Amino acid sequence: MKKFLNTPEAFVDEMLDGIYRAHPQVTHTAGDLRCYVTANPVPGKVGIVTGGGSGHLPTFLGYVGDGMIDGCAVGGVFQSPSSDQILEVTKHVDQGAGVLYLYGNYTGDIMNFDMAGELAELEDIATATVVGNDDVASSVVGEEHKRRGVAGIFFLYKAAGAAAAQMLPLTEVARITDKARARTRTMGVALSPCIVPEVGRPGFQIGENEMEIGMGIHGEPGISREPLQPADTVVDKMMERIFAETDYKTGDEVAVLINGLGATPLEELYILYRRVAILMEERGVTIRHRWLGEFATSMEMAGASISVLHLDDELEPLIAAPVSTPFFTHVGG
Amino acid sequence: MKKFLNTPEAFVDEMLDGIYRAHPQVTHTAGDLRCYVTANPVPGKVGIVTGGGSGHLPTFLGYVGDGMIDGCAVGGVFQSPSSDQILEVTKHVDQGAGVLYLYGNYTGDIMNFDMAGELAELEDIATATVVGNDDVASSVVGEEHKRRGVAGIFFLYKAAGAAAAQMLPLTEVARITDKARARTRTMGVALSPCIVPEVGRPGFQIGENEMEIGMGIHGEPGISREPLQPADTVVDKMMERIFAETDYKTGDEVAVLINGLGATPLEELYILYRRVAILMEERGVTIRHRWLGEFATSMEMAGASISVLHLDDELEPLIAAPVSTPFFTHVGG
Amino acid sequence: MALTADHTRAFYTAWADRFAAEREALIALDGQVGDSDLGITMSKGFAAARDAVAAAPEAGIAEQMKLAGGALARAAPSTMGTLMATGFLRGFKALDGADTFGTGQAATFWRAFAEGVAQRGKARPGDKTVLDVLDPIATALDGRDDPLADALEAATVAAGHALEATRNMVAQHGKAAAFQEKSRGLPDAGGTVAVMLVEVMRDVARQL
Amino acid sequence: MALTADHTRAFYTAWADRFAAEREALIALDGQVGDSDLGITMSKGFAAARDAVAAAPEAGIAEQMKLAGGALARAAPSTMGTLMATGFLRGFKALDGADTFGTGQAATFWRAFAEGVAQRGKARPGDKTVLDVLDPIATALDGRDDPLADALEAATVAAGHALEATRNMVAQHGKAAAFQEKSRGLPDAGGTVAVMLVEVMRDVARQL
Ligand SMILES: Nc1ncnc2c1ncn2[C@@H]1O[C@H](COP(=O)(O)OP(=O)(O)O)[C@@H](O)[C@H]1O
Ligand SMILES: Nc1ncnc2c1ncn2[C@@H]1O[C@H](COP(=O)(O)OP(=O)(O)O)[C@@H](O)[C@H]1O
Ligand SMILES: [Mg+2]
Ligand SMILES: [Mg+2]
Ligand SMILES: [Mg+2]
Ligand SMILES: [Mg+2]
C-alpha cells in the first residue's frame, strides 16, 4: 500500500485537520472534526447537509461553501458517518428554514440519515431527503431506487445549492433537487482497484489489459469485464446505456461531467470528452455546461465516469449559477 | 499500458480537440491545434507565452486564460514544441508590447524558444525570457541554473499574469517574474512511474515499498531512493532541503502549492499540507496563500511536490489577484 | 441460572475479543461480495461497546445494552454497525428495568433485536441479510424455559443452520446486491456476525 | 566519385530506414539515463525529412539539407531533433549552390553541422554529448582528398572510437545530467545517433 499517511487510523482526521488549516471558509462543530460545516451561514436559508464515507474527495465535503451546500457529516473511508454526527451538522446549519438531506444511495448512509432525521424532528428541525441514484450500471430501468449514487450528485448539489441561495422554501428546494436527480445519469469504468487504508490491500483484482464497465466507486462489480478498448469505443459503450434510457431531442441541452476516479490523467478525460461531444453533436444535443476533472474519486483508482444532466429551463440557470467552495469554483455563466 | 486513448500517435491532438470543444475561452492559431492561445486577448498588454511537452496537465496550457498567460506551444508527450510553433503563438499573442517567454529549464525547450526568439526579432517582436528552475533536487546551491523547472512555475505564471494585467511594460513584467522565480523552491517525491503513450512501458522501476525523493516530472532521478516512510517524515525530509536554502524569518509570508503528480489522492495531499503548515507555524511563517491539487502532473505517476514562494510586498498582491482559465480559477484575495 | 448485571457485563468483553480475533476473517468474507470493511467495523464497534459498558460500572442489564448500542452507532456507522446498534437499543427498550437475564429475557432481547434490524434495514426474510440468522435465533428461543446456557446452545445451532441456508439465497441489499448470482454459494457476511454474537453469548452463559 | 543531387537524395531514405529500424534500440538506450524518447523522435524526424526531400524532386544538394532540417525541427523538436535540425540547416548554408557532394563537401558539411550543434547546445567537448562524436567525424574528414566512400569509412571508424570514449565521460547536459556518475560506462545516446548518421552516409556512398 503506497500512500502518504502516518497511520491508517489517523488518515481521515489528519486529512480533515489539513483541510481546516488550509481553508478558513469551512469549520467544524460539536468539537468533532468530522462535523464539517460552512463558516459563512446564510440566515433564513434552507440548509443542505450531505454525508458519506471518506475517500472520494472532493465528494462529499468539497461542495460545502458559498452557493452550494452547508454541511457534511464525514465518515471513515467508505463508511457512513454516524447519526449523531449528522444530527450535529443538521443542528448547526439549520437557519430556521429546515434542512435538506442530500446523499448517495447506500444502505449505511440511508439508515444513519433516517435516524438523524428522526432525532432532528424531535428538536423541531424539519428535514426533507433526496437520495442520489445516478449510477445506471447498478440496476435496471424500473428498479432505479436500487441504483447507487455516484459522481452525478455533483449536479444535485449544484441545483440544490442554487435553489436554496434563491431563498426558496424547503419543499421547493427538495422538489427541484429531486427533479435534477431524476434527470441525471452516470456510467463509470474502472481500470484498477483502490486500497482502503485500514484494509491495506486492494478490494478486487483486475487484469493488466482489462477494464470493468459499470464498476461502483467502492469497487462494486459492474456490468461487464472486458479487454481495454480504444477510448472512443469505451465511451460509445458507456453512452449507449445512457442514451437507452433518456429521451434527448434535437435542440435539448445537457450538462456533462467527465470525472476521473483518482489515477486517470486529465489528458485522458479530454479524449473521453471529445467523443461524448461528438455523440451529442450527432444527436443535435447541446452541451451547455461541462466540467472535467476529479469530482468523485475512489482514492487511487484508475478509471472515469460520465454523468449527464438533462437540463430544462428551470435547472439550467441553477447549474449556471456561481459558486465558490475550497474545492470547486464556478464563476457563473 | 492502461490508458484511455485511441492511438498513441493521436493522444495529444485528440486531447487538444477535446479541450477546444470544451472551452470556448481558448482557441488555436496558424491552423495548428498545438498553437494554443487565449480567445480573449487584451490590447496593448504584454503577451506571455509558455510551452513544453504534453503529459503535465494542467501545466502548461492550463494557465492560458484571463489574468494569467496568453499562449502555449504544445509539444508531444514530454517533448518540446517546435520553434515554428512557438513563433506562431508569439505572433498571435503579441499586442505590440512584446512577449515574455516563460517555460521550464529543459534543453529541448530552451533551444526551441531561443530559435523562436531569434525569428520573432526578425519580425520586430521584442521578447524577454524567464526560465523556471525551482526543482531544488536537481542541482546544488550555486548551480541553480542547472535546475529543472517543475510545479513552481505555477507561481511564476500567476505573478507574470497579474503584472501584465496591470499593463506594465515587458521589462517590468520580466523583472517581477524573475523575482518570483528566484524566490520559488520545489521538492518532489515519486512513488510510481508513468508511461509515455508512444513508448508503451514505464520509463523506470520503483519497488513496492520505495519512494524516490527529488525525482523529476519526467522520471529524472532524484536525490535518494528509500523505503516509503510516514507522511510527516516524508514532508520533513523534503522541507529540510527547502528550509536549508531559504531565509524565512518570523513574520514572513509564503504561498504554498501541494501538487499531486497524477495518481495521488487529494486526501493524501491534505495530510502532506497539514505537516507543512505545522512546520511553517513552528518558524513563525504565515502561509498567506495555498493551493492543493494537480497543477503539474506526470500523467499517472503517483507522488507529490511541495512548492514554496517566499512572498514580499510586491509579489503578494499579484499572487492574490483573481484569474480564470478553463483549468484554474481563483476568485481573488 | 439467570445472570445479573455483573454477569452480562462479560458479554461485551467477550464480543470485543471475538471480533478482534475475527477481524481478518470478516474482512476477507466481506471482500468477496462487498467492500471489505466488516472486520474493521465490527472489531472497532464492539471494542467501543466494551469500553462504554466498562466505563459505567453501575449500569444495569438494559442500560449496558443502551450504552453498547450508542457506542456501536458512533464507532461503526456502517450498515452492520448501525443495524447492531439498532438491535442493542431495541434490546434496551424491551428489557428496561430487568434485574436478571435468563432464558425469557434472552428470548425478549433477540426478538426485539431482530425486529429492530428488520425495521431499520427494511429487508425481508430470504433477502440474504443478517435478518435471516437473527430471526431463527429469536424463534429458537421463543417460549423455552430450559436454563439459559441450554437455550442459547439451541439458538446457536439454529443460527448455524440458518447461516448455511443463506448460501442458497441471492443478496438483495447493500453492496453484495450488485454481485447478484455471484453471491449464491457464499454465506451472508452479516449473518456470520450474528452467529458469532449468539455463540459468544452462549459461551459466556456456560462459563458462569 | 562525387555525388549529384540525385544521389544525395538516397541519404534521406536510408536515414529514415535506419532510424525506423533502430527505434526500439534507441528508446532503450535513452531510457537508461534519459526519458526514452530518442527512438521515437529520431524515427519520426528522419521519416519527415525523407518525405520533405521526396516532395521536392527539384531540390539541389544543399536545399535537400534545408528541407530535412526544417522537417526535423517541426517533427522532432526534442533536444536531439532540434540539434540535428540545426546541423542540417548549417550544412545547407555552408554548401549553398554546390553541384556535387564529394569528400571536400562532406568535410564542409560535417564541420558546419558540428559547429551548429555546438552553438545551439552550448555544450563543450567532453560533456558527453553528440558533439563528442560529431567533432571527431569532422576532424577525420578535414583536408582529405581520397574518394568519398573511403573518407567516410575513416570518419565512421573515428566516430566509433569517439563513441566508445564517451563511456568514460559523465553527462553534463539534458536529462542524462541528473544521473551523474550513473551515466559513466554507458555510451552517449546522442553520440550513438551521430555514429548511425555517418554510417548510413558511408553505406550510401559505397553503393553508388
Ligand atoms: N437492508 C439491510 N437490512 C438488513 N441487513 C442488511 C441490509 N443490507 C445489508 N445488510 C447486511 O449487512 C451486511 C454487510 O454489512 P456491511 O459490510 O457493514 O455493509 P456496508 O459495507 O455495505 O456498509 C450484509 O452481509 C447483510 O447481512
Ligand atoms: N546541450 C546539449 N548540447 C549538445 N547535445 C546535447 C545537449 N544536451 C543533450 N544533448 C544530447 O542529446 C541527447 C539526448 O537527446 P534527447 O533524447 O532528444 O534529449 P531530451 O529527451 O532530453 O530532449 C544526449 O544523449 C546528448 O547527446
Ligand atoms: Mg462499508
Ligand atoms: Mg525528451
Ligand atoms: Mg461492507
Ligand atoms: Mg530523451
Side-chain angles (χ1 to χ4, degrees):
Chain A
M1 177 176 66
K2 269 195 164 172
K3 290 180 190 279
F4 294 119
L5 51 75
N6 290 301
T7 65
E9 292 70 29
F11 183 79
V12 172
D13 291 328
E14 290 189 350
M15 164 197 87
L16 287 168
D17 186 28
I19 293 174
Y20 296 123
R21 285 174 186 271
H23 307 301
Q25 210 181 339
V26 288
T27 183
H28 53 99
T29 183
D32 185 347
L33 288 177
R34 300 187 180 200
C35 296
Y36 183 103
V37 293
T38 176
N40 311 319
V42 179
K45 188 182 82 70
V46 164
I48 304 172
V49 170
T50 192
S54 291
H56 304 298
L57 280 186
T59 290
F60 301 90
L61 60 81
Y63 302 109
V64 173
D66 304 345
M68 236 164 153
I69 67 174
D70 303 285
C72 178
V74 179
V77 174
F78 294 1
Q79 284 165 30
S80 171
S82 73
S83 49
D84 279 13
Q85 291 167 323
I86 300 168
L87 180 66
E88 290 299 342
V89 172
T90 306
K91 291 196 294 195
H92 187 93
V93 310
D94 178 47
Q95 298 284 324
V99 170
L100 177 69
Y101 285 167
L102 175 53
Y103 57 93
N105 194 18
Y106 297 94
T107 318
D109 299 309
I110 294 171
M111 292 190 307
N112 282 291
F113 271 96
D114 281 358
M115 282 165 75
E118 291 163 21
L119 298 169
E121 212 173 304
L122 299 179
E123 312 218 8
D124 287 324
I125 302 174
T127 62
T129 296
V130 176
V131 180
N133 61 340
D134 50 312
D135 188 355
V136 169
S138 53
S139 205
V140 294
V141 174
E143 301 259 292
E144 283 89 351
H145 64 284
K146 288 192 177 174
R147 288 183 174 174
R148 298 180 293 252
V150 288
I153 198 167
F154 165 81
F155 291 132
L156 279 56
Y157 291 141
K158 192 89 193 46
Q166 292 178 3
M167 304 307 275
L168 297 176
L170 180 57
T171 48
E172 269 297 282
V173 175
R175 178 190 64 76
I176 288 168
T177 309
D178 195 59
K179 190 210 258 189
R181 180 199 62 73
R183 296 170 74 95
T184 299
R185 295 286 181 285
T186 297
M187 275 292 297
V189 56
L191 300 185
S192 79
C194 62
I195 298 180
V196 173
E198 289 187 75
V199 175
R201 54 176 187 273
F204 61 95
Q205 301 292 332
I206 184 162
E208 178 46 39
N209 280 308
E210 285 181 336
M211 63 175 174
E212 181 147 334
I213 293 190
M215 175 164 280
I217 57 172
H218 312 93
E220 298 93 333
I223 292 173
S224 64
R225 188 166 287 203
E226 312 176 17
L228 181 58
Q229 282 144 62
D232 288 356
T233 313
V234 176
V235 171
D236 290 354
K237 288 191 180 199
M238 293 165 80
M239 291 305 295
E240 196 185 320
R241 311 286 299 212
I242 292 180
F243 286 132
E245 55 182 80
T246 45
D247 58 340
Y248 305 142
K249 292 177 198 61
T250 305
D252 279 5
E253 294 188 334
V254 295
V256 168
L257 181 76
I258 310 286
N259 172 56
L261 295 182
T264 291
L266 196 47
E267 284 82 359
E268 299 176 34
L269 300 185
Y270 277 94
I271 291 176
L272 299 177
Y273 177 76
R274 175 180 173 274
R275 184 66 187 168
V276 173
I278 291 170
L279 295 178
M280 289 295 181
E281 205 172 274
E282 283 173 10
R283 278 160 183 76
V285 175
T286 302
I287 302 179
R288 183 74 178 266
H289 300 281
R290 85 288 300 154
W291 284 277
L292 294 96
E294 294 186 346
F295 291 84
T297 60
S298 301
M299 293 181 291
E300 71 279 17
M301 190 183 283
S305 64
I306 304 171
S307 302
V308 189
L309 165 61
H310 193 173
L311 294 167
D312 67 7
D313 290 347
E314 185 176 41
L315 292 173
E316 196 286 321
L318 301 173
I319 296 299
V323 302
S324 170
T325 86
F327 293 79
F328 175 67
T329 301
H330 178 59
V331 290
Chain B
M1 176 175 66
K2 270 195 162 171
K3 291 180 190 280
F4 294 118
L5 50 75
N6 290 301
T7 66
E9 293 69 30
F11 183 79
V12 172
D13 291 329
E14 290 189 351
M15 166 197 86
L16 287 168
D17 186 29
I19 292 174
Y20 296 124
R21 286 174 185 272
H23 307 300
Q25 210 182 338
V26 289
T27 183
H28 53 99
T29 183
D32 184 347
L33 289 178
R34 299 189 182 201
C35 297
Y36 183 103
V37 294
T38 175
N40 311 319
V42 179
K45 187 183 82 69
V46 165
I48 304 171
V49 169
T50 192
S54 291
H56 304 298
L57 279 186
T59 291
F60 301 90
L61 61 80
Y63 302 108
V64 172
D66 305 344
M68 237 164 152
I69 67 174
D70 304 284
C72 177
V74 179
V77 174
F78 294 0
Q79 283 164 33
S80 171
S82 74
S83 49
D84 278 15
Q85 290 166 324
I86 300 168
L87 180 65
E88 291 300 341
V89 172
T90 306
K91 292 195 296 196
H92 188 93
V93 310
D94 177 48
Q95 298 286 323
V99 171
L100 177 70
Y101 285 167
L102 175 53
Y103 57 93
N105 194 18
Y106 296 94
T107 318
D109 299 309
I110 292 171
M111 293 190 306
N112 281 292
F113 270 96
D114 281 357
M115 283 164 75
E118 292 163 19
L119 299 168
E121 213 173 304
L122 299 179
E123 313 218 8
D124 289 324
I125 302 174
T127 62
T129 297
V130 175
V131 180
N133 61 339
D134 51 312
D135 188 355
V136 169
S138 54
S139 206
V140 293
V141 174
E143 300 261 291
E144 283 89 350
H145 64 283
K146 288 193 176 174
R147 288 182 175 176
R148 298 181 294 252
V150 288
I153 199 167
F154 165 81
F155 291 132
L156 279 57
Y157 291 141
K158 192 90 195 44
Q166 292 178 3
M167 304 307 275
L168 296 176
L170 180 57
T171 47
E172 269 297 280
V173 174
R175 179 189 63 75
I176 289 167
T177 309
D178 195 59
K179 189 209 258 187
R181 180 199 61 72
R183 296 171 73 94
T184 298
R185 295 285 181 286
T186 297
M187 274 292 299
V189 55
L191 301 185
S192 80
C194 63
I195 297 180
V196 173
E198 289 187 74
V199 175
R201 55 176 184 273
F204 62 95
Q205 301 292 334
I206 184 162
E208 178 47 39
N209 279 309
E210 285 180 336
M211 63 175 175
E212 182 147 333
I213 292 190
M215 175 163 280
I217 58 173
H218 311 94
E220 298 93 335
I223 293 173
S224 64
R225 188 166 288 204
E226 313 175 16
L228 181 57
Q229 282 144 62
D232 287 356
T233 312
V234 176
V235 171
D236 290 352
K237 288 191 179 197
M238 294 165 81
M239 291 304 296
E240 195 185 321
R241 311 286 297 214
I242 293 180
F243 287 132
E245 55 181 83
T246 45
D247 58 340
Y248 305 141
K249 293 179 196 62
T250 305
D252 279 6
E253 293 188 334
V254 295
V256 169
L257 181 75
I258 309 285
N259 172 57
L261 295 181
T264 291
L266 196 46
E267 285 82 359
E268 298 175 34
L269 300 185
Y270 276 94
I271 291 176
L272 298 177
Y273 177 75
R274 176 181 172 274
R275 183 67 186 167
V276 173
I278 290 171
L279 294 179
M280 289 295 181
E281 206 173 272
E282 283 173 8
R283 279 161 183 76
V285 175
T286 302
I287 302 178
R288 183 73 178 267
H289 300 280
R290 84 287 300 153
W291 284 277
L292 294 96
E294 294 185 346
F295 291 84
T297 60
S298 302
M299 292 183 291
E300 71 279 16
M301 191 184 284
S305 64
I306 303 171
S307 302
V308 189
L309 165 60
H310 192 173
L311 294 167
D312 67 7
D313 289 347
E314 185 177 41
L315 293 173
E316 195 286 322
L318 301 171
I319 296 300
V323 302
S324 170
T325 85
F327 293 79
F328 175 68
T329 302
H330 177 59
V331 289
Chain C
M1 188 193 85
L3 311 185
T4 66
D6 276 347
H7 296 129
T8 54
R9 210 162 266 291
F11 289 159
Y12 302 92
T13 343
W15 278 322
D17 290 347
R18 177 72 186 266
F19 288 110
E22 303 280 1
R23 188 174 184 278
E24 293 304 312
L26 289 174
I27 286 176
L29 185 62
D30 190 32
Q32 292 183 291
V33 290
D35 62 355
S36 304
D37 66 342
L38 193 59
I40 297 164
T41 52
M42 290 300 100
S43 58
K44 258 196 205 168
F46 280 95
R50 173 201 55 207
D51 295 345
V53 172
E58 314 285 80
I61 292 170
E63 260 126 44
Q64 290 166 4
M65 295 171 181
K66 185 184 178 186
L67 290 165
L72 274 159
R74 275 186 298 275
S78 64
T79 303
M80 271 297 286
T82 308
L83 290 173
M84 296 300 95
T86 306
F88 278 99
L89 292 172
R90 292 302 180 91
F92 152 68
K93 279 192 195 162
L95 290 180
D96 201 9
D99 294 325
T100 58
F101 190 81
T103 302
Q105 285 79 16
T108 305
F109 170 78
W110 284 102
R111 178 56 66 203
F113 197 111
E115 281 176 1
V117 167
Q119 281 165 27
R120 179 61 64 207
K122 303 192 183 76
R124 279 174 307 188
D127 281 357
K128 190 166 188 150
T129 71
V130 59
L131 201 64
D132 291 311
V133 175
L134 289 173
D135 217 52
I137 291 173
T139 306
L141 291 170
D142 241 4
R144 293 184 82 102
D145 57 3
D146 49 351
L148 179 62
D150 297 345
L152 287 172
E153 171 60 28
T156 301
V157 170
H161 290 312
L163 180 63
E164 273 308 301
T166 65
R167 286 188 192 266
N168 291 322
M169 302 172 185
V170 174
Q172 303 297 328
H173 296 274
K175 301 196 172 95
F179 289 82
Q180 287 293 327
E181 279 302 323
K182 277 182 218 158
S183 69
R184 203 190 285 282
L186 297 169
D188 176 55
T192 306
V193 167
V195 170
M196 292 169 181
L197 274 182
V198 71
E199 271 176 9
V200 167
M201 188 181 257
R202 174 204 61 190
D203 293 345
V204 172
R206 252 191 205 150
Q207 283 161 24
L208 294 171
Chain D
M1 187 195 87
L3 312 185
T4 66
D6 276 347
H7 296 130
T8 55
R9 210 162 267 290
F11 290 158
Y12 302 93
T13 341
W15 278 321
D17 290 347
R18 177 74 185 265
F19 288 109
E22 303 281 2
R23 187 174 185 279
E24 294 304 312
L26 289 174
I27 286 175
L29 186 62
D30 190 31
Q32 292 183 290
V33 290
D35 61 354
S36 303
D37 67 342
L38 193 59
I40 297 163
T41 53
M42 291 299 98
S43 59
K44 258 196 206 169
F46 280 95
R50 174 201 56 209
D51 294 346
V53 172
E58 315 283 80
I61 291 170
E63 259 127 43
Q64 290 167 3
M65 294 171 181
K66 185 183 181 187
L67 290 165
L72 273 159
R74 274 185 299 275
S78 63
T79 301
M80 271 297 285
T82 308
L83 290 172
M84 296 300 95
T86 305
F88 278 99
L89 293 172
R90 293 300 181 92
F92 151 71
K93 280 192 195 161
L95 291 180
D96 200 11
D99 294 324
T100 57
F101 189 83
T103 300
Q105 286 78 17
T108 304
F109 170 78
W110 284 103
R111 180 55 67 204
F113 197 111
E115 280 176 0
V117 166
Q119 279 164 29
R120 180 60 65 207
K122 304 192 182 77
R124 280 174 305 188
D127 281 358
K128 191 166 188 150
T129 71
V130 60
L131 202 63
D132 291 311
V133 176
L134 289 173
D135 217 54
I137 292 174
T139 305
L141 291 170
D142 242 3
R144 292 185 83 102
D145 57 5
D146 50 351
L148 180 61
D150 297 344
L152 288 172
E153 172 60 29
T156 301
V157 170
H161 291 312
L163 181 62
E164 273 308 300
T166 65
R167 285 189 192 265
N168 291 322
M169 302 172 185
V170 173
Q172 303 297 328
H173 296 275
K175 301 197 172 93
F179 288 83
Q180 289 291 330
E181 279 302 321
K182 278 182 216 157
S183 69
R184 202 189 286 282
L186 297 170
D188 176 55
T192 307
V193 167
V195 171
M196 293 170 183
L197 273 181
V198 72
E199 269 176 8
V200 167
M201 188 182 258
R202 173 204 62 190
D203 294 345
V204 172
R206 251 190 207 151
Q207 282 159 27
L208 293 171

